[in-house]
Amino acid sequence: MLEALIDRFGDPAVLMMAGAITGVVFGMAAQHSQFCLRAATAEVAEGRFGSRLSIWLIAFSAAVMLVQGGVALGLLDVSDARQLAATGSMSGAIIGGLMFGVGMILARGCASRLLVLSATGNMRAILTGLVLTLVAQASLRGVLSPARESLTVLWLVEGGEARNMLTQLGLSAAVAASVAALALIGGLILAWRTQVKLSRIFAAAGVGAAVALGWALTYAIAQTSFDVVPVSSVTFTGPSTDTLMGLVNAPDLPLGFGIGLVPGVFAGAGLMALLTREIRIERFGPDTPMERYLLGAVLMGFGSMLAGGCAVGAGMSGGSIFAITAWVAVFCMWLGAMATHTLLRRRVVVAA
């Protein structure tokens, strides 16, 4: 069936369809579960292990378990993925991860969360997401690209085994999947103890499943196609910039996985918000100052391009294939977010 689709529509169109399917699943699951790395980091910074942490833990461990389980069973090969095969930047992962974490707290959401919230009528998320996307584009190919490149080359790591954390640790995919399964059980126990609704638990697992679905679909297309097709999964900063710039600069969008992913997430989140009656217009107000959101967007836009991905692109997709730069990036995102949240709380207490 896949071969017939490729013969009829071509690789780019089929990749776009795969991205759209993955996006709809991710959007619906992320909206209903209220999946948000920022919220999880805020809980931990406050010394609490609550529902938001359980949601993130379920999503992350489900992604790792499914992806590594597929690798262990010979159903999936991610060795050619950019996060593993290409040269990576440890300095970019560290600096960019910290910047992204700070920006995530200031903007009250990461790139994926802003896209999901935009579909529910959140005007703050729409504006913040647009600024994030523009800064990311400037960091990739525009006026900010020299600064990004100079920070990237401070500490490079070769692609291949040197960038594969499992290889460096001497662990197999089966072991990684087993450890992730234990972490998933821990997340489920935490969700039960914090009285998370069953539907939200399933939706959180669906977020992780969407990441695994992205890897599986692009791998299947790469195996079927006669052309070189990049194996990839869910990420938002790069595809968002490609989508926006394509709409602005080109009458015909170059089709691909990312071009289908972004509108798919928007459609999926919007559909779920309609079904659960959670669509409502939200604007900036006295308690939500615009300048704070815009500063957060700038930090996330530059930080994501420096770190090699956003909280989902690096943290979930890159983390699920054990790219060492992805794990370093998401660790630094946690550090930056927790430190910023703690400082902001202390400032509020002092002001009071």
Side-chain angles (χ1 to χ4, degrees):
M1 178 181 177
L2 186 57
E3 186 175 353
L5 287 173
I6 292 175
D7 289 339
R8 180 172 182 179
F9 299 106
D11 293 336
V14 174
L15 280 168
M16 186 185 71
M17 291 182 225
I21 293 170
T22 303
V24 169
V25 173
F26 184 96
M28 295 187 71
Q31 166 59 24
H32 188 60
S33 66
Q34 297 179 17
F35 169 78
C36 181
L37 177 59
R38 179 204 65 82
T41 60
E43 277 191 346
V44 176
E46 294 173 7
R48 296 184 292 114
F49 297 93
S51 61
R52 295 302 184 92
L53 177 61
S54 72
I55 293 296
W56 186 86
L57 186 58
I58 290 169
F60 181 79
S61 55
V64 175
M65 183 187 70
L66 291 172
V67 172
Q68 292 303 317
V71 173
L73 294 172
L75 303 175
L76 181 63
D77 183 0
V78 294
S79 59
D80 290 333
R82 174 185 59 82
Q83 293 96 322
L84 289 176
T87 299
S89 171
M90 291 292 283
S91 56
I94 295 169
I95 301 170
L98 290 171
M99 291 180 67
F100 192 95
V102 174
M104 184 170 61
I105 293 296
L106 295 177
R108 297 187 62 81
C110 65
S112 64
R113 185 61 179 162
L114 292 176
L115 179 59
V116 169
L117 287 176
S118 296
T120 69
N122 191 312
M123 307 304 292
R124 300 191 304 269
I126 292 174
L127 179 58
T128 307
L130 285 173
V131 173
L132 187 159
T133 302
L134 290 172
V135 173
Q137 179 66 18
S139 304
L140 180 63
R141 299 188 181 93
V143 67
L144 296 178
S145 60
R148 176 186 57 80
E149 291 168 1
S150 64
L151 293 172
T152 296
V153 299
L154 292 176
W155 184 5
L156 297 176
V157 57
E158 294 183 3
E161 292 185 353
R163 203 173 173 186
N164 190 324
M165 196 162 73
L166 290 181
T167 303
Q168 295 298 312
L169 295 174
L171 300 176
S172 67
V175 171
S178 299
V179 173
L182 293 176
L184 177 59
I185 293 172
L188 292 171
I189 293 173
L190 180 59
W192 173 73
R193 292 183 62 182
T194 53
Q195 300 181 338
V196 179
K197 291 182 179 179
L198 186 60
S199 62
R200 287 187 62 202
I201 293 175
F202 277 112
V207 172
V211 172
L213 179 63
W215 286 120
L217 289 177
T218 55
Y219 174 70
I221 295 170
Q223 292 296 105
T224 307
S225 174
F226 290 105
D227 298 324
V228 177
V229 174
V231 180
S232 61
S233 188
V234 181
T235 187
F236 290 100
T237 314
S240 294
T241 60
D242 292 340
T243 303
L244 180 60
M245 292 303 106
L247 291 172
V248 172
N249 292 329
D252 297 316
L253 285 174
L255 304 182
F257 184 82
I259 296 299
L261 177 70
V262 173
V265 171
F266 189 89
L271 176 60
M272 179 58 71
L274 277 173
L275 293 174
T276 54
R277 298 181 180 179
E278 293 176 331
I279 285 186
R280 58 183 178 274
I281 302 297
E282 294 190 35
R283 303 178 177 86
F284 290 102
D287 296 330
T288 54
M290 181 185 294
E291 60 273 17
R292 174 174 157 176
Y293 281 74
L294 297 185
L295 176 59
V298 171
L299 290 172
M300 281 195 292
F302 186 82
S304 61
M305 285 302 173
L306 187 57
C310 60
V312 172
M316 296 277 289
S317 295
S320 67
I321 62 173
F322 282 87
I324 190 168
T325 48
W327 279 75
V328 170
V330 75
F331 176 74
C332 290
M333 289 176 189
W334 271 85
L335 286 181
M338 289 175 63
T340 304
H341 183 78
T342 300
L343 289 173
L344 289 176
R345 284 189 72 205
R346 288 179 178 174
R347 181 180 176 184
V348 171
V349 170
V350 171

